[in-house]
Amino acid sequence: MTSLNLSVITIEEIYYGLTAKPNPRIQNWFKNFLTTHCQILPITSEIAKCSGELRGFLRTQGKRRSQADLLIAATVKYIL
């Protein structure tokens, strides 16, 4: 299997779900999956800047988006 790129924001959202509905088998599987198949992408200052600008622009258009969603989108934009 090739490496899967995941934003740290995505990791937080997954752990939130795993904690809200605990299942030790799934939690252990996910921890192993992260360490063996994933590359974790950090939020850099460039990604934060891109996210803030995109979020601000969307707000001027009357479109509200969550900070988490825009950080994930900016991470994807930055790595492509």
Side-chain angles (χ1 to χ4, degrees):
M1 179 178 201
T2 59
S3 181
L4 179 66
N5 293 323
L6 293 176
S7 166
V8 294
I9 303 298
T10 302
I11 302 301
E12 186 277 336
E13 290 179 328
I14 292 169
Y15 273 114
Y16 169 76
L18 290 174
T19 302
K21 291 189 175 184
N23 181 320
R25 184 181 61 81
I26 294 173
Q27 289 168 323
N28 288 332
W29 175 88
F30 182 66
K31 183 178 178 182
N32 182 55
F33 179 77
L34 275 180
T35 59
T36 59
H37 299 294
C38 298
Q39 177 181 351
I40 310 304
L41 303 172
I43 300 298
T44 63
S45 59
E46 293 90 0
I47 290 171
K49 178 181 180 286
C50 179
S51 174
E53 290 173 348
L54 181 56
R55 193 168 169 213
F57 171 77
L58 289 172
R59 182 153 185 184
T60 67
Q61 305 297 306
K63 301 174 185 174
R64 291 182 174 247
R65 299 292 184 267
S66 75
Q67 183 180 39
D69 288 345
L70 274 284
L71 284 167
I72 293 169
T75 301
V76 170
K77 182 178 178 182
Y78 183 74
I79 65 168
L80 294 180

